[in-house]
Structure formats: structure tokens, C-alpha cells
Amino acid sequence: MKNKSYIGISFIILVFGIIFIPKIIDRIKNNDVTKIDRLNTSGQSETSEDLIMKIGPAPKFSLTNQNGETITNDNYIGKVYLVEFFFSTCPTICPIMNQNMVKIQNHFEGRTDFGIVSVTINPENDTSEVLKKHAEHLGVKNPNWNFLTGDKKYIFDLANKGFNIYAGENKDIDGGFEHSGLFALIDKKGNIRCRKDKFGNPIVYYDGLEETGVQALQQDIKVLLDEK
């Protein structure tokens, strides 16, 4: 009897492995390990809003892109998009931020419902012409990736008061400007969204300098793209 029990258990394990292990491996390869099938404390599946919290409406904006066109937040309704504040001559963190944005762009290549907004904090230098060359240098392919420029005070208010992502002018440091390396994630309806930390608190913004931040964004963007 014992031998028959062992055989039965072994058979069940074998069937489980054949059915489920390839799916698990496929999800890991696709950075989809946070797909919404985890169980919450009540025993029911979590929704996308449970996993990726809604912080509130993103600030409205109206600025000029690298092609001299006026771009507003309305251009991104129906799209999931990221927002960063940078400047083209930044000698420190901006190149890392921009390259990480390129990684994310490439990860969602072909998705017309995904976009990026890169706002310069040095508009006196970063004209539309300068930003167009910068975009070409980076290898920007996504037509919804806009590099925006405009009035300096307007941009600083958008960063510091609108998004609450720090940007400032400092003549005593290399480049003359300082700013946060954070990325904001916006859903199709124009809401700022984010995941929770290990304590269940919203992180609000994602680390644009670390690979862990890039991977988290790739996972969470996919979830938001699938939202109805």
C-alpha cells in the first residue's frame, strides 16, 4: 500500500511540474512575476489598483517638444506614460536616467499606448533644436516620447509644486542644476500610480537610477497597459 501511495504522489508531482513549471519559467523570463494573480488576506485575487496604488491626478502641463509642437497632458490620455525631469548637459545622473528610459522604451517597443515625457530644467539651453539632437543621440524611437521645454519658472513649478519631484538651480555644482532621479508613472486616465513597499506604503515614485527601479516599472507598466 505504501508503495502505491508513493507512486500516486510522484505522479501528481510529475503532472504539476509538466503543467506549471514552464509557465513559471516563462513569467520570470518576461519580468512578469508580479502579474495580478497573487492572493490577498481575504483569499481573493487583488485588482491592479490594489497592487499599483492610485495616488491622485497628475499635474496638467503644456510645453513645447523637440519638434516645436505644443504637447499637453491631454496628448497622453489613453496612454500609460513616464515623466522625468533632466537637462541635456547634465554631467551626473541624467545620462543614467535617459539610458534607463531607453531600456524601458525598447521593452515596450511597438506599444502605441505607452509614452515618455522628459522635461528639461534648463530650458535656456535646451531649445527644441537641442532636444531634438539629444533625442536622436539617445536613439529615441517611440513617437510618444516627447522632450519638453518652455518657461523656466513654469517648469520648476511643475516639478516642485506639481509633481513634488525636486529640481533646482545651483551654480556651485557641476552643470549648474540639481534634481531628483525619480520617475513618475501615470496611467491611461491621467492618475499617478505606484506600487507599495514591503511595509505596504506607497513608494509614490520609482528610482530612475537603479536596475531594480527599471524592472519594477517594466512590471507595473505592463499591468497598467492591460487595465481597461
Side-chain angles (χ1 to χ4, degrees), residues 13 15 22 25 33 59 95 144 155 171 194 201 204 215 225-226:
I13 292 171
V15 171
I25 292 172
V33 292
N144 298 317
I155 289 171
K171 300 300 184 183
C194 74
N201 300 312
V204 184
Q215 291 177 359
L225 287 172
D226 291 340

Side-chain angles (χ1 to χ4, degrees), residues 10 23 25 41 51 54-56 67 94 114 120 126 136 141 162 168 172 186:
S10 299
K23 294 181 180 180
I25 292 172
T41 53
L51 291 172
K54 185 185 294 183
I55 301 301
N67 298 314
C94 296
F114 172 68
T120 179
D126 291 342
E136 292 170 352
K141 296 178 287 186
D172 295 328
I186 319 297

Side-chain angles (χ1 to χ4, degrees), residues 19-33 35 222:
I19 295 174
F20 293 104
I21 288 178
K23 294 181 180 180
I24 294 170
I25 292 172
D26 184 62
R27 288 181 61 191
I28 292 171
K29 285 181 179 178
N30 289 291
N31 286 322
D32 199 22
V33 292
K35 197 168 180 70
K222 185 179 187 305

Side-chain angles (χ1 to χ4, degrees), residues 86-89 120-131 148-150:
F86 86 110
F87 59 108
S88 68
T89 55
T120 179
I121 60 172
N122 184 14
E124 293 172 354
N125 177 77
D126 291 342
T127 61
S128 292
E129 293 77 16
V130 169
L131 291 176
L148 302 182
T149 187

Side-chain angles (χ1 to χ4, degrees), residues 83-98:
V83 176
E84 68 170 344
F85 292 89
F86 86 110
F87 59 108
S88 68
T89 55
C90 173
T92 53
I93 66 174
C94 296
I96 301 171
M97 295 168 65
N98 285 169

Side-chain angles (χ1 to χ4, degrees), residues 36-91:
I36 304 171
D37 57 6
R38 298 181 301 183
L39 299 180
N40 59 24
T41 53
S42 66
Q44 298 180 354
S45 294
E46 291 178 314
T47 66
S48 57
E49 197 165 321
D50 292 327
L51 291 172
I52 308 175
M53 298 179 64
K54 185 185 294 183
I55 301 301
K60 296 181 179 180
F61 61 84
S62 179
L63 291 161
T64 304
N65 75 356
Q66 67 269 34
N67 298 314
E69 303 164 332
T70 298
I71 300 295
T72 76
N73 51 290
D74 288 340
N75 291 97
Y76 285 89
I77 296 298
K79 298 178 178 64
V80 177
Y81 67 103
L82 299 176
V83 176
E84 68 170 344
F85 292 89
F86 86 110
F87 59 108
S88 68
T89 55
C90 173

